[in-house]
Amino acid sequence: MIARDRNWLLIFAVCAALAVIYPLFADGYQLTVIRDALIFGLFAASLDFFWGRTGILCFGHAAFFGIGGYIMALITLNDAIPFGSLLGIMGAVAGAAFVAAIIGYFLFFGGIRGSYFTIVTLAMGVICQQAAVSWSSVTGGDSGLIGIPPIAFDVGGMHVDLSQDLPSYIFVTAIVAVVVLALWSISRGRWGTVLTAIQDNEVRAAALGHNAPLRLLVTFVLSAAIAGLAGALYVCMAGLVAPDLSGLLLSTEVIVWVAVGGRGTLLGPVLGAIAIQRAQQTISSFNPSLWPLLLGCVFVIIVFVLPDGILSIYARLKSLFKGRRQAR
């Protein structure tokens, strides 16, 4: 366990170092591409925190991403609201967490688990997307809302303006690093240990005195809050929000990012999201219709060849070299 933690921290440190030096070799466009990919990586980490620790798949996680995005857009587009960026972020996090608390309460305390939970959350995503389309007077309907201002606020007498590429990249990178490290710390602590026990045998964990539904609910709410944060960041960087950001397609894509990166690793889904986003942009520039086919093939290959995701490549290579040294 200690060696596993050491490996995770080593990979995290390498990724953080690469993120720090990346602006030295990238232009403004490349910074924005990686910045947006990091936001999707944060979204993937939020799903992995719940799916990877509890074994329960939420198939409508984009609903929380979209809720956060729409709340952020509605607050920042209203000039009468002071401190729009900060209130927008807090509102996005709180709104996504509130919806997750309501839905999760009835599901977890109602004993809904496994495939039934997946189906219900799938319907939740569809309902959220349809609500965004139908409630056009507030959400803008199919066209969504445009003209969302970039994040800007004052802190400690200093004005922070994220309208430029480099400041927004640094801000998003710092947010992703802090959140992933915090989620990893929670996962490695007592809370994560109890979640693992619940995943293995919920009845036995309850017999030992653990309130399994409450712990699952709190984990689900925290996961949704981070997804809402990711949605708020994305709409401010992109300048728009649309119903697709809460729909089935994005919910499916985030599952692929987690599976490709490595479920239960937190850092792997971030890397998976970045890799797939970069690959999608490169391949789509040649042939947009080719990307869905290649994505499906890559997903199938990863599942068969690397069922633990691309982050397991390091552990496999380390085991391989260790085995060769012992053979000598």
Side-chain angles (χ1 to χ4, degrees), residues 145-267:
L145 300 172
I146 61 174
I148 301 168
I151 295 175
F153 56 88
D154 296 315
V155 56
M158 181 177 63
H159 180 68
V160 177
D161 185 357
L162 303 183
S163 59
Q164 300 300 316
D165 300 330
L166 183 58
S168 62
Y169 169 82
I170 294 173
F171 182 79
V172 169
T173 302
I175 291 289
V176 174
V178 169
V179 171
V180 169
L181 197 58
L183 292 179
W184 180 79
S185 299
I186 296 173
S187 299
R188 308 312 297 171
R190 175 175 170 77
W191 188 271
T193 303
V194 174
L195 288 180
T196 301
I198 294 173
Q199 180 180 356
D200 292 340
N201 192 322
E202 184 175 335
V203 176
R204 186 178 301 171
L208 293 174
H210 300 298
N211 190 334
L214 180 61
R215 287 183 178 269
L216 291 174
L217 175 62
V218 173
T219 306
F220 186 58
V221 169
L222 180 57
S223 171
I226 297 172
L229 171 63
L233 293 176
Y234 180 78
V235 299
C236 284
M237 303 301 172
L240 59 88
V241 62
D244 291 344
L245 295 181
S246 59
L248 181 59
L249 179 58
L250 185 58
S251 292
T252 305
E253 287 182 331
V254 70
I255 292 173
V256 175
W257 299 338
V258 174
V260 169
R263 184 169 71 92
T265 61
L266 289 174
L267 191 56

Side-chain angles (χ1 to χ4, degrees), residues 26-302:
D27 56 21
Y29 171 74
Q30 291 171 331
L31 280 181
T32 59
V33 170
I34 293 298
R35 179 200 65 197
D36 293 347
L38 280 170
I39 294 175
F40 285 124
L42 178 64
F43 178 40
S46 73
L47 174 63
D48 186 46
F49 178 66
F50 177 72
W51 184 21
R53 300 310 305 173
T54 67
I56 302 173
L57 174 60
C58 174
F59 212 132
H61 216 58
F64 305 120
F65 186 90
I67 289 172
Y70 272 105
I71 291 177
M72 184 72 180
L74 292 172
I75 291 178
T76 53
L77 285 174
N78 191 338
D79 296 331
I81 299 179
F83 311 108
S85 294
L86 292 179
L87 287 179
I89 291 176
M90 290 189 288
V93 171
F98 177 75
V99 173
I102 298 296
I103 297 173
Y105 174 80
F106 290 103
L107 292 179
F108 293 122
F109 285 91
I112 305 299
R113 302 288 189 275
S115 57
Y116 295 103
F117 184 92
T118 302
I119 293 171
V120 172
T121 52
L122 169 64
M124 175 187 70
V126 174
I127 293 171
C128 189
Q129 182 179 15
Q130 190 57 44
V133 172
S134 303
W135 200 8
S136 58
S137 60
V138 175
T139 63
D142 285 316
S143 301
L145 300 172
I146 61 174
I148 301 168
I151 295 175
F153 56 88
D154 296 315
V155 56
M158 181 177 63
H159 180 68
V160 177
D161 185 357
L162 303 183
S163 59
Q164 300 300 316
D165 300 330
L166 183 58
S168 62
Y169 169 82
I170 294 173
F171 182 79
V172 169
T173 302
I175 291 289
V176 174
V178 169
V179 171
V180 169
L181 197 58
L183 292 179
W184 180 79
S185 299
I186 296 173
S187 299
R188 308 312 297 171
R190 175 175 170 77
W191 188 271
T193 303
V194 174
L195 288 180
T196 301
I198 294 173
Q199 180 180 356
D200 292 340
N201 192 322
E202 184 175 335
V203 176
R204 186 178 301 171
L208 293 174
H210 300 298
N211 190 334
L214 180 61
R215 287 183 178 269
L216 291 174
L217 175 62
V218 173
T219 306
F220 186 58
V221 169
L222 180 57
S223 171
I226 297 172
L229 171 63
L233 293 176
Y234 180 78
V235 299
C236 284
M237 303 301 172
L240 59 88
V241 62
D244 291 344
L245 295 181
S246 59
L248 181 59
L249 179 58
L250 185 58
S251 292
T252 305
E253 287 182 331
V254 70
I255 292 173
V256 175
W257 299 338
V258 174
V260 169
R263 184 169 71 92
T265 61
L266 289 174
L267 191 56
V270 178
L271 300 177
I274 295 173
I276 291 179
Q277 285 289 309
R278 289 290 293 172
Q280 180 181 8
Q281 290 199 343
T282 303
I283 295 173
S284 297
S285 63
F286 296 105
N287 188 345
S289 61
L290 190 62
W291 169 245
L293 174 63
L294 289 178
L295 178 62
C297 294
V298 169
F299 180 67
V300 172
I301 292 172
I302 288 291

